[in-house]
Amino acid sequence: MLARICPLSVVQGCLTRIERERGRFLHWVPVFLAIGIGVYFQLPVELGRYAYAGLGLLVALLGLVSVRWPWGVGPLVWGVVLVAAGLLLAAARAHYVAAPVLDFRYYGPVEGRIIAVDRSQKDAMRLTLDQVRLTDTALDRVPKKVRISLYGKEPYAPAIGQRVAITAHLSGPNGPVEPGGFDFQRMAWFRGIGAVGYSRNPVVLMARPDGHGVGVQITRLRMALSAWVREILPGETGAFAAAITTGDRSSMSRATLDALRGSNLAHLLAISGLHMGLLTGFVYQAARYLMALSPSVALHRPTKKIAAVLAMLAGAFYLLLSGGNVATERAYIMVATMLIGVLFDRRALSLRAVAMAAVIVLVLHPEALTEPGFQMSFAATTALVSVFGWIGQFRGRFGPRWVQPIMAVVLSSAVAAAATAPVAAAHFNQVSHFGLIANLLSVPLMGMLIMPAAVLAALLGPFGLGWLAIKLMALPIDWIIGVAYHVSSMEGAIGYVAQPPPTALPAVAVGGALIVLLSGREKIVGAALVVIGGVLWTNVDRPPVLISQTGGLVGVLKENGRALSKLKGDGFAASVWLENDGAPLPQSEAYALGAFRGDNGVSRSQIGAASLVHLSGKLGSTQLNEVCGMASLVVMNRYADQSTGECWVIDAEYLRHTGAIALWPELNGWRIETARARQGDRLWTRWQKDQQPWR
């Protein structure tokens, strides 16, 4: 019977094919690890210690078996081992970073040390504090880090390491603004941020920077260099230069950031693979050229390996200077892996080097798998290495030598854009139609002028002449900013797409990996997965009704877009909903669609045969009994003082346990999906079970 279902020749053929992959198994390691990590983040509940112990024992047993197993099956068993190991790695990391999360709403004095300064979504200055103290709060409940946005009118120039005090509103990190949306709670958990909030009060300096801690010293140096660069190059030019040299974006205006995103040039700001590659590449080539000037050195010394070491040292310094975030760390690991290949006389740019870098990053930071930076970086690098490896055999067939650099820039920009487009569309809900043009006009300047000028500034800095090199960056940076504004303002420059279902992007990613790793007709399997992911994406079912986690906003999907119940309020939820719909209108325009009618805190809308009423504010909440008899669903942002069986009431107490809600009308009522249910019972959500309203 088994022979009829699966002929022996087919089984033998599969085993033979698997055995051929034994020599290339390193290429598959990050794929299997990523699958395991992805499974961990999709679990509906956190596994217990016995489950993890059993899984660890299974990994050990399968690893032992795979070493002694007969021909052909070993790689398969190792694949299972790596998937389980990826799950265990992610779980271990999640438990390792565990820290208290504020489980009540706090208003009062907050004292702490400044460890980071950036800007919020609303373009307000934002401070991240550690060594936190809260009034009347037990030490074991005080968060390790808090992040506070400053909305006061009083100007303030913060310095890393200062100890400050401020009266602020704090609460635990908010959950997704809709079921299945971006999980800020999970991101904050892995970054150690246990509370977020805001203040309109002045900041009080309690103590000047004490200078203790290597991390604080490096951050202070980075911010000092950023201020020095902005002093030499004022305005947006200096802000751009500071961002690409030190990672400090706190001076970038929202308009410039939007222009860079709309023209697909925002990656120029992130200190990642492009910057690290340009910097280390410039140092590597410059070192080789300088050593070639001395015949004795060029003939008797391994100049290539010396240049590789110098490039790694330059990259390490750049890593420290930029703040050492995960994206920059990932970029340095990739570059260092390739340069180590040079030291051992291996190909510097190969899939093996990319795979090794991916493994190192996933082991150190498993949570990076869920972040767009990791996904875009490795998607672009893998695609570039594969494509240029394939066309390497056609070297010399693309015209004269002077044309080949131009062709390389065009091809690399096109390949990177194609590889990262699905990731950018999934995370940011937009596609830049003219991004290739903008990159062709901008990326060469980064490699030929801006990054070499940055290296020259570092070399001339000790002699007091670094400002000369910084000045050289002004014109090319102004050109890039001008290109960004021009391209992003062109008609049809930006296309918007709806948020895909959770299975779409993983299907596309795995399919793309299989296209790269498999050979011949086997690539059809990967192409089929990519097509399946695209079909899932195009058939996404957006919720007809969305309710914010505060109950202060309701969005109803109509033929002309999602109409909102309020002109103002819950602006972040409104913007995310509209972006996820693929129609990012201003909140005022979404309200003007007219699906809601009423006044004095009472807004009514009709969804098919169902009627919905949104009550907001104190005045609206007093009309619950009056509207309940004429509506099948009432949403309110306050606590219902009385219970009623005449209609379904979703009030602040209900939403405190469910988070944001999505609804689909049905014949016998509503189908409901909550943000908390989609998140599951995980480490980063458990604090909400006993959450208290205020203290």
Side-chain angles (χ1 to χ4, degrees):
M1 179 65 70
L2 181 61
R4 293 179 181 177
I5 298 175
C6 186
L8 184 60
S9 59
V10 175
V11 175
Q12 290 177 340
C14 291
L15 293 178
T16 301
R17 180 63 187 88
I18 293 171
E19 184 65 22
R20 286 206 305 268
E21 288 296 319
R22 185 183 292 274
R24 302 173 64 245
F25 190 68
L26 178 61
H27 298 164
W28 293 89
V29 171
V31 176
F32 290 128
L33 280 178
I35 291 173
I37 295 169
V39 168
Y40 171 78
F41 286 116
Q42 293 300 316
L43 290 175
V45 295
E46 197 72 36
L47 300 180
R49 65 182 65 181
Y50 295 111
Y52 287 127
L55 193 59
L57 181 61
L58 178 64
V59 168
L61 290 176
L62 288 177
L64 181 62
V65 168
S66 64
V67 174
R68 305 175 61 89
W69 201 259
W71 164 88
V73 182
L76 277 180
V77 179
W78 272 113
V80 176
V81 168
L82 288 169
V83 170
L87 193 154
L88 289 174
L89 275 171
R93 174 69 176 170
H95 283 80
Y96 176 76
V97 300
V101 178
L102 197 65
D103 59 356
F104 58 91
R105 293 184 179 274
Y106 174 89
Y107 176 71
V110 181
E111 185 180 335
R113 181 181 66 167
I114 300 176
I115 59 172
V117 181
D118 62 350
R119 305 199 76 81
S120 70
Q121 190 78 11
K122 295 182 180 180
D123 209 24
M125 181 181 293
R126 190 166 60 186
L127 306 180
T128 301
L129 310 178
D130 71 351
Q131 301 178 5
V132 180
R133 294 180 184 175
L134 302 179
T135 302
D136 297 329
T137 304
L139 292 179
D140 60 349
R141 300 181 68 185
V142 175
K144 181 181 177 181
K145 300 177 186 177
V146 301
R147 200 165 71 179
I148 302 174
S149 298
L150 306 180
Y151 293 104
K153 297 181 179 179
E154 181 179 342
Y156 172 65
I160 301 300
Q162 287 179 343
R163 188 158 193 88
V164 297
I166 186 172
T167 301
H169 295 265
L170 291 180
S171 63
N174 291 326
V177 297
E178 65 172 79
F182 170 68
D183 194 344
F184 176 70
Q185 287 177 335
R186 183 176 67 193
M187 185 190 76
W189 176 268
F190 283 97
R191 295 186 180 183
I193 299 174
V196 295
Y198 67 93
S199 177
R200 302 185 186 279
N201 300 301
V203 177
V204 178
L205 178 63
M206 303 294 292
R208 297 187 180 279
D210 55 14
H212 294 128
V214 176
V216 171
Q217 289 293 328
I218 293 174
T219 306
R220 289 179 61 189
L221 173 63
R222 182 165 65 95
M223 299 304 291
L225 289 174
S226 173
W228 174 67
V229 170
R230 287 184 281 110
E231 184 179 352
I232 298 171
L233 299 177
E236 291 300 298
T237 306
F240 189 103
I244 63 174
T245 53
T246 67
D248 174 26
R249 301 190 195 182
S250 60
S251 298
M252 294 289 295
S253 70
R254 179 60 51 184
T256 300
L257 287 173
D258 290 341
L260 290 167
R261 292 191 183 103
S263 58
N264 198 26
L265 293 177
H267 66 94
L268 297 181
L269 290 179
I271 299 179
S272 55
L274 174 66
H275 301 73
M276 192 66 72
L278 292 174
L279 173 72
T280 54
F282 175 79
V283 172
Y284 176 80
Q285 291 294 345
R288 291 198 66 187
Y289 286 138
L290 289 174
M291 287 185 285
L293 297 177
S294 172
S296 61
V297 173
L299 294 175
H300 301 96
R301 295 290 185 270
T303 57
K304 184 186 296 186
K305 297 180 180 181
I306 294 174
V309 171
L310 293 175
M312 279 194 288
L313 292 175
F317 176 74
Y318 195 32
L319 173 65
L320 293 175
L321 184 63
S322 64
N325 58 45
V326 174
T328 314
E329 182 180 289
R330 177 184 63 248
Y332 179 69
I333 290 173
M334 293 181 64
V335 169
T337 302
M338 296 174 185
L339 292 172
I340 290 173
V342 174
L343 295 179
F344 289 93
D345 297 317
R346 299 293 184 90
R347 285 181 58 191
L349 198 62
S350 66
L351 283 178
R352 182 179 294 271
V354 176
M356 289 179 62
V359 169
I360 294 172
V361 173
L362 290 176
V363 169
L364 294 177
H365 302 283
E367 70 276 11
L369 178 70
T370 64
E371 299 175 359
F374 176 92
Q375 297 168 11
M376 296 179 75
S377 176
F378 280 101
T381 306
T382 303
L384 288 169
V385 171
S386 301
V387 170
F388 277 94
W390 177 74
I391 66 174
Q393 55 186 315
F394 302 106
R395 183 174 297 177
R397 302 183 187 179
F398 292 98
R401 294 182 65 87
W402 65 270
V403 174
Q404 292 180 12
I406 301 175
M407 293 289 295
V409 172
V410 174
L411 185 60
S412 60
S413 298
V415 170
T420 58
V423 180
H427 288 281
F428 308 118
N429 304 107
Q430 68 178 36
V431 177
S432 177
H433 293 151
F434 306 130
L436 177 60
I437 297 174
N439 276 272
L440 291 176
L441 294 173
S442 302
V443 172
L445 294 180
M446 287 290 296
M448 293 187 294
L449 296 177
I450 296 176
M451 294 311 297
V455 175
L456 186 60
L459 295 176
L460 295 177
F463 305 100
L465 299 175
W467 63 272
L468 290 173
I470 296 297
K471 285 285 188 180
L472 294 176
M473 301 168 67
L475 286 178
I477 287 177
D478 287 341
W479 170 268
I480 291 174
I481 293 175
V483 168
Y485 273 101
H486 179 74
V487 171
S488 63
S489 63
M490 294 171 64
E491 184 178 356
I494 304 174
Y496 300 99
V497 296
Q499 182 187 41
T503 53
L505 187 59
V508 173
V510 174
L514 293 181
I515 290 175
V516 171
L517 296 177
L518 295 177
S519 58
R521 296 180 180 178
E522 297 168 349
K523 293 181 181 293
I524 296 176
V525 178
L529 276 177
V530 173
V531 172
I532 291 172
V535 172
L536 291 172
W537 199 327
T538 55
N539 290 283
V540 61
D541 181 22
R542 293 291 297 156
V545 179
L546 287 170
I547 302 172
S548 69
Q549 60 184 344
T550 65
L553 188 68
V554 179
V556 175
L557 191 61
K558 296 293 186 179
E559 292 182 357
N560 54 348
R562 188 173 300 276
L564 301 180
S565 61
K566 293 179 66 176
L567 181 65
K568 296 180 180 180
D570 282 71
F572 180 70
S575 64
V576 174
W577 290 351
L578 297 168
E579 288 175 2
N580 288 345
D581 289 336
L585 297 173
Q587 184 171 351
S588 58
E589 294 184 21
Y591 172 76
L593 294 177
F596 286 88
R597 300 187 181 278
D599 53 15
N600 297 324
V602 181
S603 299
R604 297 177 174 85
S605 183
Q606 195 73 21
I607 304 98
S611 57
L612 182 153
V613 175
H614 181 216
L615 303 179
S616 59
K618 184 177 182 180
L619 182 60
S621 64
T622 61
Q623 304 185 53
L624 175 59
N625 285 335
E626 178 182 346
V627 304
C628 200
M630 63 183 73
S632 57
L633 172 62
V634 176
V635 180
M636 54 192 300
N637 63 348
R638 290 179 175 258
Y639 294 94
D641 295 330
Q642 66 279 349
S643 60
T644 175
E646 299 180 7
C647 65
W648 182 23
V649 178
I650 297 179
D651 67 346
E653 175 66 19
Y654 188 98
L655 290 165
R656 190 165 68 87
H657 297 285
T658 64
I661 290 177
L663 297 173
W664 284 262
E666 295 182 340
L667 292 177
N668 299 321
W670 300 86
R671 176 166 65 89
I672 181 172
E673 186 176 25
T674 70
R676 299 277 168 81
R678 285 289 296 271
Q679 284 181 291
D681 181 19
R682 308 309 303 274
L683 292 176
W684 45 89
T685 63
R686 288 180 174 176
W687 63 272
Q688 298 172 124
K689 290 183 178 180
D690 302 320
Q691 184 180 7
Q692 303 172 26
W694 284 99
R695 173 175 294 188

